């Protein structure tokens, strides 16, 4: 690869530079003769080839530490005709179609990918662990507290557990506690299907749970604990996604908040959830 970009057509070079900027400041543009690539310092590379009305994206991704294992070829076709923000469409395709594949080989690869939205938002999370199990944490001391309160707009705690018992089988748990209901809905929606069938909510559950379930169709509500706070879980059919609703009723007033969690989820789902969290 070369830093000489002079052979790339001007319109394609402009598109690829704008795509790199959409991804974040760490991505740069390099070239193989007249073919541009968007490149991340950790080694992720995506080739961009322009055709009439669309671009073709191609990456060759390591799926094993064994050097004799062939690279996996991943491609995506992105239509650009008639769209006012073509660079954003290309960047979104790279995020959804390519980045999760870059993170599937093992814990190290997943850590590189899952850290991207946190780095882009300048969240000072800390990663520690081994090549089989690694944690990413932010504000660790507040993760499990039920008494701590946050100011509007204040960044909530985060914990990610990445596991890879064998190559190519990498999964993640994500815990996002102490969320406002508005943020919980926005973050959860990033990993829900676009079309969901509403699930009836048992009538004995609090009105606040009914309201939350109406905003997150497709999740099944289940009572957990009657206490202060009262806990109710809303879970998807796969069992990977759970939203825990907290309801505290005291003489001083009523307060609701939520925790969003993923369990044993694919890297792609964890990446989407962390991207929504980092955007808050």
């Amino acid at each position: 690869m070369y830093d000489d970009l002079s052979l790339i057509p001007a319109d394609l070079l402009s598109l690829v530079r704008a795509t790199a900027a959409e991804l974040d400041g760490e991505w740069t543009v390099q070239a193989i003769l007249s073919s541009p690539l968007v490149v991340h310092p950790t080694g992720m590379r995506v080739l961009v080839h322009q055709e009439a009305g669309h671009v073709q994206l191609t990456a060759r991704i390591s799926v094993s530490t064994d050097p004799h294992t062939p690279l996996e070829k991943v491609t995506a076709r992105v239509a650009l005709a008639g769209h006012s923000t073509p660079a954003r469409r290309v960047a979104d395709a790279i995020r959804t179609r390519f980045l999760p594949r870059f993170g599937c080989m093992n814990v190290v690869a997943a850590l590189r990918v899952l850290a991207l939205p946190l780095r882009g938002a300048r969240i000072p999370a800390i990663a520690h662990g081994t090549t089989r199990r690694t944690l990413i944490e932010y504000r660790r001391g507040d993760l499990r507290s039920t008494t701590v309160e946050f100011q509007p707009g204040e960044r909530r705690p985060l914990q990610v557990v990445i596991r890879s018992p064998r190559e190519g089988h990498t999964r993640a748990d994500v815990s996002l506690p102490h969320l406002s209901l508005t943020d919980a809905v926005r973050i959860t929606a990033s990993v829900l299907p676009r079309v969901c069938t509403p699930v009836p909510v048992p009538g004995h559950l609090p009105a606040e749970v009914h309201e939350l379930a109406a905003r997150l169709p497709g999740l099944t509500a289940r009572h957990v604990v009657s206490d202060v706070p009262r806990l109710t879980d809303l879970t998807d059919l796969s069992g990977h996604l759970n939203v825990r609703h907290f309801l505290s009723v005291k003489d001083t007033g009523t307060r609701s908040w939520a925790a969003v969690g993923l369990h044993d989820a694919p890297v792609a789902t964890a990446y989407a959830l962390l991207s929504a969290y980092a955007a808050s």
Side-chain angles (χ1 to χ4, degrees):
M1 290 189 297
Y2 307 94
D3 293 326
D4 181 3
L5 309 179
S6 61
L7 297 179
I8 303 174
D11 58 340
L12 179 57
L13 179 58
S14 176
L15 172 65
V16 177
R17 280 176 167 162
T19 298
E22 284 282 345
L23 288 168
D24 77 34
E26 294 186 308
W27 292 81
T28 59
V29 178
Q30 296 184 2
I32 300 175
L33 299 178
S34 61
S35 299
L37 303 96
V38 284
V39 180
H40 192 269
T42 59
M44 294 178 279
R45 301 179 180 89
V46 180
L47 180 71
V48 184
H49 178 69
Q50 189 173 39
E51 299 179 12
H54 72 276
V55 296
Q56 184 78 16
L57 306 177
T58 306
R60 296 188 179 274
I61 298 173
S62 296
V63 293
S64 173
T65 54
D66 182 350
H68 301 293
T69 301
L71 300 178
E72 178 183 291
K73 183 179 179 180
V74 180
T75 63
R77 186 178 186 270
V78 183
L80 301 181
H83 294 281
S84 59
T85 55
R88 183 169 300 170
R89 284 182 58 81
V90 177
D92 286 344
I94 291 173
R95 290 190 186 101
T96 57
R97 296 288 299 276
F98 292 86
L99 293 187
R101 292 302 304 153
F102 278 115
C104 287
M105 181 173 67
N106 53 28
V107 164
V108 175
L111 176 60
R112 292 191 188 113
V113 170
L114 297 182
L116 287 177
L118 308 180
R119 289 160 62 99
R122 301 185 183 277
I123 299 171
I126 297 173
H128 56 94
T130 68
T131 55
R132 287 189 174 272
R133 185 179 185 275
T134 288
L135 278 75
I136 305 173
E137 294 179 315
Y138 172 65
R139 298 186 65 161
R140 178 180 181 181
D142 294 329
L143 278 167
R144 290 174 177 82
S145 171
T146 58
T147 58
V148 64
E149 296 189 26
F150 293 83
Q151 297 300 316
E154 186 177 1
R155 181 77 65 184
R156 302 313 199 255
L158 157 76
Q159 184 181 74
V160 183
V161 182
I162 309 169
R163 300 180 309 279
S164 185
R166 62 183 184 276
E167 282 191 348
H169 187 78
T170 305
R171 313 292 282 185
D173 298 342
V174 180
S175 178
L176 304 174
H178 307 299
L179 297 171
S180 69
L181 298 186
T182 299
D183 280 344
V185 169
R186 180 184 58 79
I187 291 170
T188 303
S190 69
V191 295
L192 285 178
R194 293 189 177 182
V195 178
C196 296
T197 301
V199 179
V201 179
H204 66 274
L205 294 179
E208 291 84 354
V209 174
H210 283 259
E211 294 172 6
L212 181 60
R215 299 169 68 185
L216 295 172
L219 301 186
T220 300
R222 178 180 62 87
H223 170 68
V224 179
V225 174
S226 293
D227 205 338
V228 181
R230 176 171 179 163
L231 309 184
T232 307
D233 282 352
L234 293 90
T235 308
D236 74 340
L237 290 175
S238 72
H240 293 310
L241 173 66
N242 186 76
V243 180
R244 174 158 288 183
H245 179 270
F246 296 78
L247 177 63
S248 177
V249 180
K250 298 181 180 180
D251 293 339
T252 54
T254 300
R255 187 167 72 94
S256 289
W257 68 99
V260 176
L262 285 177
H263 173 67
D264 198 36
V267 172
T269 307
Y271 176 81
L273 196 79
L274 290 175
S275 295
Y277 163 81
S280 60

